[in-house]
Amino acid sequence: MASTSKSNRRRSNKPKFVPKPKQVWRVKQPIRNWLELPSDLMVNILQRVGVIDVLENAQKVCTAWREICKDPAMWRVIHMDKSPAPWERSTFQKICKHAVDRSQGQLVDIKMIAFCNHKLLQYVAD
């Protein structure tokens, strides 16, 4: 009867098989073009960005965004609810006037915190 003990087994000089690490499979995502979004959806997104960021940054991204930002319908609601530091009040007033001008008479709701004065209210009313 043949012995099956460890000492009687023949040892192989071949290197042991080491499996390669599992590959991470990545599915290529389709490239989305932001310019293909409907304009009303883009208006909704830009309104959530905020008046100051739209006027100072977003409208400078591309021609399509600039055209959307120039549309008076975009400026029907103006919420400037960040309270400025005392030295920023005049800048906020200028930005607010610019946003009111962009509305071209279609403004229906405005919110101004801590920088409003009588002259600005008169400007909005006119």
Side-chain angles (χ1 to χ4, degrees):
M1 190 164 170
S3 173
T4 57
S5 69
K6 290 183 181 178
S7 60
N8 291 341
R9 289 188 197 162
R10 282 198 254 176
R11 295 188 182 203
S12 172
N13 290 336
K14 292 181 183 178
K16 292 182 179 181
F17 174 73
V18 179
K20 292 182 180 178
K22 292 182 180 180
Q23 292 181 348
V24 177
W25 293 97
R26 293 190 179 123
V27 178
K28 285 190 175 181
Q29 295 293 329
I31 297 173
R32 289 177 170 72
N33 186 351
W34 286 90
L35 298 175
E36 293 175 358
L37 284 174
S39 62
D40 59 334
L41 182 60
M42 187 55 67
V43 166
N44 188 304
I45 292 169
L46 288 172
Q47 285 175 335
R48 293 168 191 263
V49 169
V51 174
I52 296 169
D53 286 327
V54 167
L55 290 174
E56 291 184 348
N57 301 313
Q59 72 176 358
K60 298 174 186 175
V61 169
C62 64
T63 306
W65 285 19
R66 177 144 177 87
E67 291 304 313
I68 290 170
C69 292
K70 287 170 49 177
D71 183 8
M74 165 94 182
W75 303 99
R76 293 185 71 211
V77 175
I78 300 171
H79 285 180
M80 297 181 68
D81 44 8
K82 177 187 171 193
S83 184
W87 59 87
E88 294 178 315
R89 286 185 182 150
S90 65
T91 303
F92 273 56
Q93 290 169 356
K94 288 176 187 175
I95 291 171
C96 185
K97 286 180 179 181
H98 189 70
V100 169
D101 292 343
R102 287 268 178 107
S103 74
Q104 296 180 2
Q106 293 188 26
L107 182 63
V108 294
D109 185 24
I110 189 164
K111 183 177 186 180
M112 300 174 281
I113 294 182
F115 66 90
C116 188
N117 61 22
H118 178 72
K119 287 182 181 180
L120 185 56
L121 285 176
Q122 188 63 47
Y123 188 87
V124 171
D126 290 343

